[in-house]
Amino acid sequence: MSANSEGEQSGLSADDRRAKRPRLYISKLGKVALLAFFLVAGFNLATRVAAIVGYAEPFLSTNGDRTSNNLPAINPNFNDRGETWECEVIVVGGSLGGVAAAYHAMQAGATTCLIELTPMLGGQVSSQGVSAIDESELMRKDQIFSASWNYFKQSISQQSSLPTKSIFLNSGYKSVAETNSCWVGDLCFAPTAGAAAAKQLLQEAMERSPNSRWVTETAFKGVEFDPSGKQIVSVYAVKRKARDRNYIPQGRLSQELASWYAWESDDVFEKFPIRLQAPPGKRAIVIDATDTGELVGWANIPHRLGSESFATTGEPHARADNPDCTQAFTYPFVLAIGDDGGVSRRRLSQIKSGYPKAEHRQDFNFGNYPMMEGRSFFNYRRIISTTRNNPNWDAPVLGDMTIVNWNPGNDWGVMNPPSIMKSSEILASGQDKDWLGGLNVKALSHGEDRAFLFSEWLMEQTSVPLKHLSGQDTPMPTQSGLSIYPYIREGRRILGRPAYGQSQFFLREQDIRIDLAGGRDFSASAVGITHYAVDMHGCSYRDRKLSGEASSAATSEHSVRPIAIPLESLIPQKVDNLLIGGKSIAVSHIVNGATRVHVGEWVAGSAAGTTAAWLIKQQNNAIMPYEIVAKGLMPKLQEYMRSQGITFNL
């Protein structure tokens, strides 16, 4: 499903969500009993969970040279084909948060450079295939949105509903607004439309910053620090160019990841190194807007990974420290109503999965929803409605398409192995010297298998003919039809600097729940506002042993207050000119379940980009992000943000 309460089945009501995910639901009485157990047992549940690592990813011995700040030193393969870009703001990652960061930085007049791994800008709304906007009912009702978020959605609605060469709509080319009819939210669309809107947004912002630039199909490789190790002076990346002009991604990231990140050219790609750095005599602000926290992971900047215990966070529903237990990831794909002569089913039947097919299939179901009629599985994230009939009552028709992001379906949260590499695994693999994305390719491969097998299973559940779309000029243009990159719900989450009574700042469950005491007021340093249910897409082990997942933390949006994002959640430790512009902000595993959705990521990116540009424009470019609050400058920054259409209070 999507990011929402998926409501990723996210536009779902609390009752809908509970019915759909019975294994994650715990009744109110059960929650009371669980809390009582914690109190009696002294919150010792963590001792029963394997792979405990403590409350933060540790600094470990190194594989080579380090800065005086114990950060890695890069040895870039910067040959005569390399380019040097001069940028005041450097955005690593063209995710949804990265697009927001770059847009706001350029709108403010800062020369901005952005690099993105995949061929598509926009992350969730494009390359990750979550092209159905998740928002809370409260935010929609009261329109608690920034001007740029509303403008971005408007831009999506005006894009072509399908790629220009697509033949799937008999009635000719239409806009997203003319084919949008789903029940998860107000806006569902093809991933290609999301990418087009993201590109258009950046092109428009360039009018205020004509020397800015961005590039897709470019992998982050590491950064160079100054002698103190406290400031980034250069970011290194490698761009790839396919030798075949008709190349499209395989849609099996597990098989292409190493090639995408390698410095060296190969039979498929030519490679071109890029160095991004500040103009002479200036300092750049760098923003990590990758969905997994790549820069954070490569440099091992203080962060947490996975679930946490009560002893670590003090959150009533936190269960255990388990860095393997990040929320499930998903490879979305597109199904269309139409007869392809059995081609899709034959191709899917040939998939050889790493785990037995029966082991995958035992989890597949629709919950309480029909597959086709009315408020159904198909209409849930229907991205093309050729008739625009009512998704709550009517059946889809020939030519209609849906994005499949469903739990239990193509979610993959099995931690054998976990998807995101821990610090120890990064060092053991040598990725601190030659970064390859920090993801476990075996886990990615299992997730791909899951998606293929779910698509095959879906075709068996109905007499309506279905096609698994793939190839050029389809809504998800990959050879396999799976998303180019998985939808990452949770990556590495930074630990902030001392603030609001914490020695290492992060937002806690109590800060966002109406029904829990101990919430803090962040209005003094707020830089954005979001709202959503605490939506947990859990983790598990194959043998079903305890995972540490905070499943009892899941709650409807009605138990969550509007979430103010403070500046301190964007500022990491150790590196002074780095901000976070996406999911890796300083929040707990539980709070991530409410801040990770589309609008939350946009809020973080907008705040990071606006703050970076504001800092660049200050006299002598001498103020560091961590100094803004200490020097009493928050009122000026907030005033500037208001002028940029950013909302951060009710």
Side-chain angles (χ1 to χ4, degrees), residues 88-93 95-114 148 202 205 209 212 284-289 527-528 565 567 570-571 577-582 585 600-618 625 628 637 640-641 644 646:
E88 295 175 312
V89 177
I90 300 170
V91 182
V92 179
S95 64
L96 194 56
V99 169
Y103 173 78
H104 276 273
M106 285 192 284
Q107 281 284 89
T111 300
T112 304
C113 301
L114 177 150
S148 63
L202 296 189
S209 181
S212 294
I285 300 294
V286 180
I287 299 172
D288 185 346
V527 290
I565 303 297
L567 178 64
L570 278 58
I571 300 175
N577 63 332
L578 176 64
L579 290 167
I580 303 301
I585 59 175
E601 188 176 339
W602 187 269
V603 164
S606 300
T610 304
T611 300
W614 182 80
L615 287 168
I616 292 298
K617 299 304 179 183
Q618 298 309 297
I628 294 173
L637 175 59
Y640 182 74
M641 287 185 159
Q644 300 300 304
I646 291 178

Side-chain angles (χ1 to χ4, degrees), residues 383-395:
I383 59 171
I384 296 291
S385 173
T386 55
T387 61
R388 286 210 78 195
N389 62 15
N390 191 316
N392 293 293
W393 304 107
D394 299 324

